[in-house]
Protein backbone atom coordinates (compact mmCIF):
# COMPACT_ATOMS: atom_id res chain seq x y z
CA UNK A 1 0.00 0.00 0.00
CA UNK A 2 1.42 3.39 -1.04
CA UNK A 3 1.32 6.09 1.61
CA UNK A 4 1.81 9.84 1.07
CA UNK A 5 2.44 11.94 4.18
CA UNK A 6 2.99 15.61 4.94
CA UNK A 7 4.50 16.46 8.32
CA UNK A 8 3.08 18.51 9.94
CA UNK A 9 -0.28 18.06 8.26
CA UNK A 10 -1.42 21.54 9.37
CA UNK A 11 1.09 24.41 9.40
CA UNK A 12 1.63 28.08 8.67
CA UNK A 13 2.27 28.85 4.99
CA UNK A 14 5.82 30.07 5.67
CA UNK A 15 6.84 26.96 7.62
CA UNK A 16 8.59 24.01 5.97
CA UNK A 17 6.89 20.64 5.77
CA UNK A 18 8.28 17.21 4.96
CA UNK A 19 6.64 15.32 2.10
CA UNK A 20 7.27 11.56 1.90
CA UNK A 21 6.00 8.65 -0.14
CA UNK A 22 6.41 5.09 1.17
CA UNK A 23 5.41 1.68 -0.11
CA UNK A 24 6.68 1.97 -3.69
CA UNK A 25 8.77 -0.61 -5.49
CA UNK A 26 12.53 0.04 -5.47
CA UNK A 27 13.51 2.31 -8.40
CA UNK A 28 9.86 2.83 -9.37
CA UNK A 29 9.30 5.95 -11.48
CA UNK A 30 6.45 8.08 -10.08
CA UNK A 31 4.82 11.48 -10.45
CA UNK A 32 4.09 13.54 -7.35
CA UNK A 33 1.38 16.14 -7.93
CA UNK A 34 0.22 18.94 -5.64
CA UNK A 35 -2.93 20.93 -6.34
CA UNK A 36 -5.36 23.28 -4.67
CA UNK A 37 -8.34 25.45 -5.49
CA UNK A 38 -8.19 29.08 -4.40
CA UNK A 39 -11.11 31.06 -2.98
CA UNK A 40 -12.45 31.78 -6.49
CA UNK A 41 -12.33 28.08 -7.44
CA UNK A 42 -9.25 28.46 -9.67
CA UNK A 43 -7.00 25.37 -9.76
CA UNK A 44 -3.24 25.64 -9.16
CA UNK A 45 -0.97 22.61 -9.52
CA UNK A 46 2.59 21.41 -9.75
CA UNK A 47 4.13 18.03 -10.49
CA UNK A 48 7.54 16.43 -10.24
CA UNK A 49 8.91 13.10 -11.42
CA UNK A 50 10.93 10.94 -9.03
CA UNK A 51 12.60 7.55 -8.95
CA UNK A 52 12.05 5.74 -5.64
CA UNK A 53 15.12 4.74 -3.66
CA UNK A 54 16.07 1.16 -2.76
CA UNK A 55 13.57 1.13 0.11
CA UNK A 56 10.70 2.23 -2.16
CA UNK A 57 10.55 5.75 -0.74
CA UNK A 58 10.55 9.25 -2.21
CA UNK A 59 11.50 12.32 -0.17
CA UNK A 60 11.72 15.58 -2.18
CA UNK A 61 14.09 16.90 0.50
CA UNK A 62 16.60 14.12 -0.25
CA UNK A 63 15.82 12.90 -3.76
CA UNK A 64 16.16 15.06 -6.88
CA UNK A 65 13.12 15.63 -9.07
CA UNK A 66 13.90 14.39 -12.58
CA UNK A 67 11.61 16.96 -14.22
CA UNK A 68 8.11 18.35 -14.21
CA UNK A 69 7.47 21.76 -12.66
CA UNK A 70 11.05 21.80 -11.37
CA UNK A 71 14.14 19.62 -11.21
CA UNK A 72 16.68 19.01 -8.49
CA UNK A 73 16.37 18.75 -4.72
CA UNK A 74 13.70 21.17 -3.46
CA UNK A 75 12.08 20.02 -0.19
CA UNK A 76 9.15 22.43 -0.71
CA UNK A 77 9.21 22.46 -4.53
CA UNK A 78 5.72 21.03 -4.95
CA UNK A 79 4.32 23.94 -2.93
CA UNK A 80 6.62 26.66 -4.27
CA UNK A 81 6.04 25.87 -7.95
CA UNK A 82 2.21 25.79 -7.95
CA UNK A 83 1.01 27.25 -11.27
CA UNK A 84 -2.51 28.27 -12.34
CA UNK A 85 -4.47 26.23 -14.89
CA UNK A 86 -5.68 29.56 -16.33
CA UNK A 87 -3.00 31.95 -17.57
CA UNK A 88 -2.36 35.23 -15.75
CA UNK A 89 -3.93 34.13 -12.47
CA UNK A 90 -2.12 34.62 -9.18
CA UNK A 91 -2.36 32.56 -6.03
CA UNK A 92 -3.63 35.05 -3.44
CA UNK A 93 -5.16 34.29 -0.06
CA UNK A 94 -7.81 36.91 0.78
CA UNK A 95 -9.36 35.33 3.90
CA UNK A 96 -6.14 34.87 5.87
CA UNK A 97 -7.84 34.32 9.23
CA UNK A 98 -10.87 32.20 8.38
CA UNK A 99 -9.58 29.21 6.45
CA UNK A 100 -6.40 27.57 5.17
CA UNK A 101 -5.44 26.55 1.67
CA UNK A 102 -6.00 22.80 1.45
CA UNK A 103 -3.28 21.30 -0.71
CA UNK A 104 -3.88 17.79 -2.05
CA UNK A 105 -0.80 15.68 -2.72
CA UNK A 106 -1.08 12.65 -4.98
CA UNK A 107 1.37 10.07 -6.30
CA UNK A 108 0.87 8.38 -9.69
CA UNK A 109 2.68 5.46 -11.28
CA UNK A 110 5.05 6.49 -14.07
CA UNK A 111 5.13 9.85 -15.80
CA UNK A 112 1.78 11.60 -15.49
CA UNK A 113 1.70 14.74 -17.61
CA UNK A 114 -1.99 15.60 -17.66
CA UNK A 115 -4.91 15.59 -15.28
CA UNK A 116 -6.68 12.57 -16.74
CA UNK A 117 -9.73 12.01 -14.48
CA UNK A 118 -9.64 8.27 -15.21
CA UNK A 119 -6.16 7.91 -13.73
CA UNK A 120 -6.32 6.91 -10.09
CA UNK A 121 -3.51 7.94 -7.72
CA UNK A 122 -1.56 5.23 -5.91
CA UNK A 123 -1.88 7.30 -2.74
CA UNK A 124 -2.84 10.78 -1.58
CA UNK A 125 -3.12 13.08 1.42
CA UNK A 126 -4.13 16.63 2.22
CA UNK A 127 -2.17 19.40 3.95
CA UNK A 128 -3.50 22.61 5.46
CA UNK A 129 -1.50 25.81 4.91
CA UNK A 130 -2.64 28.61 7.25
CA UNK A 131 -1.74 32.26 6.73
CA UNK A 132 -2.40 33.45 10.27
CA UNK A 133 -1.42 31.72 13.49
CA UNK A 134 -3.66 31.20 16.50
CA UNK A 135 -4.11 34.31 18.64
CA UNK A 136 -2.78 36.72 16.01
CA UNK A 137 -4.82 39.91 15.73
CA UNK A 138 -5.42 41.52 12.31
CA UNK A 139 -5.88 45.30 12.35
CA UNK A 140 -6.98 46.95 9.07
CA UNK A 141 -4.98 50.07 8.11
CA UNK A 142 -6.59 52.96 6.18
CA UNK A 143 -4.59 56.16 6.17
CA UNK A 144 -4.95 58.48 3.17
CA UNK A 145 -4.23 56.35 0.09
CA UNK A 146 -2.48 53.64 2.13
CA UNK A 147 -4.36 50.37 2.64
CA UNK A 148 -3.04 47.37 4.47
CA UNK A 149 -3.22 45.22 7.56
CA UNK A 150 -1.15 45.04 10.72
CA UNK A 151 -0.75 41.62 12.28
CA UNK A 152 -0.09 41.66 16.01
CA UNK A 153 1.21 38.54 17.78
CA UNK A 154 -0.66 37.28 20.83
Amino acid sequence: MVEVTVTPQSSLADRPVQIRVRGLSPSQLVTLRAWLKDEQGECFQSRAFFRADGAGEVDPGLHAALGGSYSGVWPMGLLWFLQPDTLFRRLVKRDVAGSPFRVRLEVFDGLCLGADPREQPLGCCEAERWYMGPGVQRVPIREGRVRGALFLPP
Side-chain angles (χ1 to χ4, degrees):
M1 179 173 141
V2 177
E3 178 186 32
V4 182
T5 59
V6 177
T7 309
Q9 186 270 331
S10 182
S11 64
L12 290 174
D14 64 345
R15 300 284 190 232
V17 294
Q18 183 182 37
I19 300 167
R20 294 190 72 172
V21 180
R22 293 184 179 103
L24 300 167
S25 300
S27 300
Q28 182 177 355
L29 188 61
V30 295
T31 300
L32 260 174
R33 179 173 84 125
W35 66 274
L36 64 84
K37 286 196 177 190
D38 69 3
E39 293 155 329
Q40 282 76 44
E42 188 67 39
C43 188
F44 291 77
Q45 63 180 318
S46 65
R47 71 186 74 244
F49 313 127
F50 292 93
R51 186 166 299 284
D53 64 13
E57 297 184 0
V58 169
D59 181 345
L62 299 174
H63 304 118
L66 306 173
S69 301
Y70 67 96
S71 59
V73 178
W74 292 78
M76 299 284 292
L78 287 165
L79 302 176
W80 290 341
F81 291 98
L82 287 166
Q83 294 294 315
D85 284 354
T86 305
L87 291 177
F88 308 114
R89 299 292 294 206
R90 290 186 335 165
L91 185 59
V92 176
K93 183 70 171 145
R94 302 245 183 250
D95 179 17
V96 295
S99 63
F101 272 142
R102 297 188 196 300
V103 183
R104 186 157 174 88
L105 293 145
E106 301 170 327
V107 62
F108 295 91
D109 186 31
L111 298 179
C112 179
L113 299 174
D116 186 354
R118 296 176 306 228
E119 191 153 0
Q120 293 295 314
L122 299 173
C124 60
C125 73
E126 192 171 272
E128 292 181 346
R129 303 293 282 168
W130 290 89
Y131 281 76
M132 199 164 106
V136 173
Q137 181 184 1
R138 182 181 188 271
V139 180
I141 305 293
R142 298 182 78 108
E143 186 66 38
R145 295 185 336 193
V146 175
R147 302 289 183 264
L150 173 65
F151 293 88
L152 299 169

